[in-house]
Amino acid sequence: GLLECRRCRYLRTGRAWCQLVQVLLAMLILICSSVSCGSAGGYTGLPSLGGIYYYHFGGAYSGFSGADGERAQQLDQRFRQLKLPVARAAMAAGGCLLVFSCLLLSVGVLRLPWHCPPWLLLECVLDLVIAIGMVPALYYFFHSLLGVYNSSVCKEREQLYQSKGYQGFRCSLHGAEIAAGLWGCITVLAYLLSAGLAVRGYRTLHELKQKPVQL
């Protein structure tokens, strides 16, 4: 089949599967972060309908008018501005991980490690750097988000919504943000495993290079 091709045989190895998992995890982090960044929230004035309505997941909810509606709109905009830097940083991290994983996968398919075994040691170092760097990145992600949710803007926004009977605007992490953090934790494990597989691959290639008769 397709995987019997000389170059595509790499896709049958454990390192290739691990890198494919890394690609998937990076995509999930990127998607979950974009959900957090894209949830603009806020009120949109519709003069033609005679009021101000809130759009949440495609549904329109009334209940605000006049000064309350304007205040709700301001709070939503300020809340989104507080979350935006954190969400963009998470999206940038997910995008970088996606590009890096695809690059490593392409390098393996092109058989660069076979022609230059020391590349595997470099790959191991890079995997370890990413795995270790993800730990403070995850701490910053959750610490920053919790700071946003503990802010006076979020608290006032929550109280304003609750005064109108809306209960879905609590100052707490939502599902996409928690999922992004969980995918990040799994990514740390994936890169640690990839580093171990890179070292094992280097040892295997070194032994094969020392015994060319057995190739």
Side-chain angles (χ1 to χ4, degrees):
L2 179 62
L3 296 182
E4 294 298 329
C5 171
R6 183 179 179 183
R7 298 197 174 199
C8 293
R9 287 177 185 173
Y10 173 73
L11 298 177
R12 298 164 55 184
T13 64
R15 281 179 52 239
W17 280 102
C18 189
Q19 289 165 358
L20 287 172
V21 170
Q22 292 169 6
V23 171
L24 177 61
L25 290 172
M27 292 177 61
L28 290 173
I29 292 174
L30 187 59
I31 292 171
C32 292
S33 302
S34 64
V35 170
S36 178
C37 179
S39 58
Y43 281 78
T44 304
L46 298 176
S48 61
L49 297 181
I52 299 177
Y53 294 82
Y54 178 69
Y55 285 83
H56 180 61
F57 297 114
Y61 298 87
S62 61
F64 288 89
S65 61
D68 286 343
E70 294 178 359
R71 184 57 181 165
Q73 185 178 20
Q74 293 174 359
L75 289 173
D76 279 331
Q77 291 175 351
R78 290 173 59 188
F79 178 69
R80 183 175 186 272
Q81 290 173 356
L82 290 175
K83 286 183 60 178
L84 200 56
V86 185
R88 285 180 174 175
M91 290 177 63
C96 291
L97 290 175
L98 179 60
V99 172
F100 180 73
S101 301
C102 292
L103 177 63
L104 290 185
L105 192 60
S106 300
V107 166
V109 171
L110 295 175
R111 296 172 59 85
L112 177 61
W114 172 258
H115 300 290
C116 183
W119 166 263
L120 292 173
L121 297 180
L122 176 61
E123 183 177 319
C124 173
V125 173
L126 293 176
D127 288 337
L128 289 176
V129 169
I130 292 176
I132 296 173
M134 283 288 292
V135 176
L138 288 170
Y139 171 80
Y140 167 79
F141 177 72
F142 284 113
H143 179 74
S144 300
L145 282 177
L146 290 176
V148 172
Y149 287 121
N150 290 327
S151 65
S152 59
V153 173
C154 184
K155 298 297 183 182
E156 183 179 354
R157 178 175 178 265
E158 180 183 18
Q159 292 176 359
L160 182 59
Y161 277 103
Q162 287 181 348
S163 68
K164 300 298 181 179
Y166 297 130
Q167 302 297 325
F169 304 92
R170 295 186 177 89
C171 294
S172 59
L173 297 171
H174 62 67
E177 294 162 348
I178 296 174
L182 291 176
W183 297 132
C185 294
I186 298 175
T187 299
V188 173
L189 299 178
Y191 274 96
L192 290 176
L193 177 60
S194 181
L197 292 175
V199 172
R200 190 180 72 173
Y202 174 78
R203 291 177 178 174
T204 301
L205 283 179
H206 183 71
E207 293 175 358
L208 290 175
K209 294 289 185 180
Q210 294 296 325
K211 301 177 181 179
V213 178
Q214 296 180 5
L215 294 179

